[in-house]
């Protein structure tokens, strides 16, 4: 259980690192506390087109995330089933979507 707990802290830290390195230049910012004791196991990042990115991640990239109004993508890696490479790949897919742009669709 201790290794699982450590992984549960390290996976979101990996999300923070990838956000800072490759998503911040594309208009994303971290909304979650950076302190792991205050953050928990998920990370929210903000972007004006967050809803469109979440839709595209799920539909086009096979990455499951949540949209949180008004402008947040919530990323919640589960330590039991998520590998570090999964975080890397998912964040890279978001980076590629952001770099090419996604078309915002009206809310239904």
């Amino acid at each position: 259980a201790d290794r699982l707990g450590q992984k549960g802290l390290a996976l979101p830290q990996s999300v923070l690192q990838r956000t800072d390195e490759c998503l911040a230049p594309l208009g994303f910012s971290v909304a979650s506390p950076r302190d792991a004791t205050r953050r928990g196991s998920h990370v929210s990042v903000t972007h004006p087109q967050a809803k469109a990115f979440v839709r595209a991640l799920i539909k086009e990239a096979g990455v499951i995330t949540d949209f949180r109004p008004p402008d947040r993508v919530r990323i919640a890696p589960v330590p039991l089933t998520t590998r570090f490479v999964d975080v890397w790949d998912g964040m890279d897919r978001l980076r590629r979507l952001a770099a090419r742009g996604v078309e915002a669709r009206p809310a239904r």
Side-chain angles (χ1 to χ4, degrees), residues 10-89:
L11 285 169
Q13 186 61 39
S14 183
V15 172
L16 291 173
Q17 181 181 357
R18 296 302 297 150
T19 299
D20 291 342
E21 290 172 359
C22 64
L23 294 179
L26 298 170
F28 288 84
S29 62
V30 173
S32 296
R34 289 184 178 269
D35 178 357
T37 61
R38 294 185 52 231
R39 179 182 60 245
S41 62
H42 70 271
V43 174
S44 290
V45 297
T46 63
H47 191 281
Q49 290 184 292
K51 190 171 193 174
F53 284 125
V54 167
R55 285 181 177 153
L57 280 169
I58 294 168
K59 185 177 178 182
E60 300 173 27
V63 177
I64 306 301
T65 58
D66 303 292
F67 170 69
R68 300 291 188 204
D71 61 356
R72 295 185 182 193
V73 177
R74 188 175 78 94
I75 303 159
V78 178
L80 193 58
T81 57
T82 305
R83 302 170 301 165
F84 287 95
V85 70
D86 297 327
V87 170
W88 182 277
D89 290 346

